[in-house]
Amino acid sequence: MPTAFITGITGQDGSYLAELLLSKGYTVYGLIRRSSTFNTARISHLYQDPHDADYRLRLVYGDMTDGARLHALLAEIKPDEIYNLAAQAHVKVSFETPESTGDIDALGVTRLLESVREVCPKARFYQAGSSEMFGSSPAPQNEDTPMLPRSPYAIAKLYAHHMTRNYREAYGMYAVSGILFNHESPRRGATFVTRKITRAVAAIKAGAQDKLYLGNLDARRDWGFAPEYVEGMWRMLQAATPRDYVLATGEVHSVREFAQRAFARAGLDWQKHIEIDPRYLRPTEVDVLQGDAARAEHDLDWKAATRFEQLVDLMVDADLHAQQHGRGEFEAVGRHF
Ligand code: GDD
């Protein structure tokens, strides 16, 4: 059975991808960063004892800023597939930390690609690109849309996107960049707007909170359901020819609409609880992201299934459940979500 190496395995996508690959029989190596607090809550339900006969989830320490370590790991593991999901993934935070964001999200990819080229050039490489790269380019956006990034995060991702393509063209490597539009779930980090809203709805419903402070309610996004998107990543690496693909639902909604629906799901009036705080505004904003995933549908038979309303409802329901049962952030949503 194949072996995969996932950077960013502790994130939302990393945890869903690890589940998918383990269910397909892969051995999965996941890169984690050393921290004095646990950072593996999203994969704790997948944890295996190293003494298990079927020990297939293997966590290894390392960091995208440490090229020597990445090189040594790839030389040892010799993976068949590599999924680079590690990133400083928060757009607003990237304005405050542009240098480290570039180090991890841009140069980190070069470190990895160089190591792949040297020690396992036949491995298939997936780079987590982002719809943020389109920036101010008019919607709808597809693989041929010009990219006009609007944040240090998006600029770092665009460097990585071009680097991935360059390794494909220069060295004939199977290296692809997935241009994924926003994808959410109950495992979404709590500072991204969807989860920030659904967690607040649950806390307000329980009487533990009254106000929710947000930034730009007019921003519009194409929000899909994350488990479907990791399936798309895997399909990109199974294709006969390496190509970059957009994954998106094609449907667009504002932050305001997300909040309205989320509060209504819990029987609350959003206008009584939401206040605008300029601290959450970005110096340069991306107003509209709406993807056209026709190429993925044609080549990979991939299509987003979960629609906006279902997505909002399932996220609110998961947070209401977690709030009511007093569980940890991800425990209540364990294997199912
Ligand atoms: N985070 C946040 N917090 N965003 C807010 C808030 C708030 O309080 N209020 C309004 N927003 C708006 C942001 O200005 C943005 O326009 C929109 O909500 C979505 O913000 P995020 O959920 O933080 O996601 P993002 O679109 O900036 O970036 C996400 O999607 C990208 C793919 O397009 C991240 O997951 C990126 O890593 C990913 O590449």
Side-chain angles (χ1 to χ4, degrees):
M1 287 310 291
T3 297
F5 178 57
I6 305 176
T7 73
I9 195 168
T10 59
Q12 168 188 264
D13 292 4
S15 68
Y16 285 123
L17 182 64
E19 265 169 32
L20 179 75
L21 298 181
L22 288 169
S23 76
K24 289 183 185 294
Y26 282 62
T27 296
V28 175
Y29 285 82
L31 187 72
I32 58 170
R33 275 171 298 153
R34 155 72 195 155
S35 161
S36 64
T37 51
F38 286 115
N39 55 9
T40 50
R42 290 187 182 91
I43 48 171
S44 57
H45 63 291
L46 300 175
Y47 178 80
Q48 290 175 316
D49 190 301
H51 308 96
D52 272 5
D54 186 37
Y55 176 52
R56 288 190 289 115
L57 175 65
R58 302 174 184 180
L59 302 179
V60 289
Y61 283 111
D63 195 293
M64 295 305 290
T65 58
D66 182 351
R69 176 62 176 155
L70 293 174
H71 191 280
L73 281 171
L74 290 181
E76 189 186 316
I77 298 167
K78 293 256 163 49
D80 301 293
E81 295 175 11
I82 297 158
Y83 296 86
N84 182 40
L85 313 184
Q88 189 304 91
H90 202 284
V91 173
K92 175 73 183 356
V93 172
S94 79
F95 287 97
E96 282 133 45
T97 60
E99 187 179 328
S100 61
T101 299
D103 196 4
I104 298 159
D105 297 9
L107 273 185
V109 179
T110 302
R111 293 184 186 105
L112 203 48
L113 282 167
E114 262 304 274
S115 298
V116 176
R117 183 172 77 86
E118 284 169 18
V119 302
C120 50
K122 294 267 175 277
R124 296 190 167 202
F125 180 88
Y126 174 85
Q127 163 59 17
S130 164
S131 57
E132 270 291 305
M133 299 186 299
F134 293 120
S136 53
S137 244
Q141 295 103 352
N142 67 20
E143 295 83 358
D144 300 320
T145 303
M147 293 184 176
L148 299 168
R150 300 262 288 168
S151 65
Y153 166 79
I155 292 162
K157 282 285 180 184
L158 188 53
Y159 168 98
H161 173 78
H162 286 306
M163 207 48 134
T164 303
R165 203 188 54 189
N166 190 238
Y167 272 68
R168 179 168 77 224
E169 292 172 357
Y171 306 118
M173 284 166 46
Y174 195 113
V176 303
S177 176
I179 308 167
L180 272 52
F181 283 64
N182 299 47
H183 44 286
E184 319 294 313
S185 75
R187 293 187 200 167
R188 187 58 146 143
T191 62
F192 296 99
V193 78
T194 55
R195 189 80 199 293
K196 185 174 167 181
I197 293 169
T198 61
R199 272 169 51 104
V201 163
I204 291 168
K205 184 73 180 172
Q209 185 177 327
D210 184 39
K211 294 290 178 206
L212 169 62
Y213 295 93
L214 294 175
N216 177 17
L217 301 185
D218 295 319
R220 290 190 287 156
R221 290 289 183 276
D222 179 331
W223 283 295
F225 186 37
E228 296 167 10
Y229 288 59
V230 304
E231 166 78 27
M233 295 175 189
W234 177 76
R235 288 192 192 191
M236 283 183 217
L237 291 200
Q238 314 312 309
T241 316
R243 280 186 102 181
D244 301 332
Y245 289 97
V246 159
L247 298 184
T249 69
E251 201 178 316
V252 72
H253 294 275
S254 66
V255 172
R256 182 179 291 97
E257 286 175 275
F258 193 103
Q260 273 169 349
R261 174 133 195 135
F263 277 81
R265 177 77 177 173
L268 298 167
D269 178 357
W270 70 284
Q271 279 167 305
K272 290 197 177 129
H273 301 284
I274 291 185
E275 305 233 339
I276 304 302
D277 183 340
R279 88 176 61 214
Y280 299 114
L281 299 175
R282 291 151 190 205
T284 38
E285 172 68 297
V286 171
D287 297 324
V288 192
L289 291 176
Q290 179 182 20
D292 165 8
R295 182 191 282 181
E297 187 175 352
H298 179 268
D299 291 6
L300 308 175
D301 195 22
W302 182 92
K303 198 169 165 42
T306 305
R307 308 317 298 180
F308 175 75
E309 289 78 13
Q310 290 169 278
L311 177 67
V312 180
D313 292 355
L314 73 83
M315 289 180 69
V316 171
D317 293 354
D319 276 323
L320 287 171
H321 187 271
Q323 178 82 35
Q324 280 157 14
H325 294 81
R327 306 259 181 86
E329 205 189 345
F330 304 110
E331 279 169 64
V333 296
R335 193 169 275 284
H336 188 50
F337 282 121

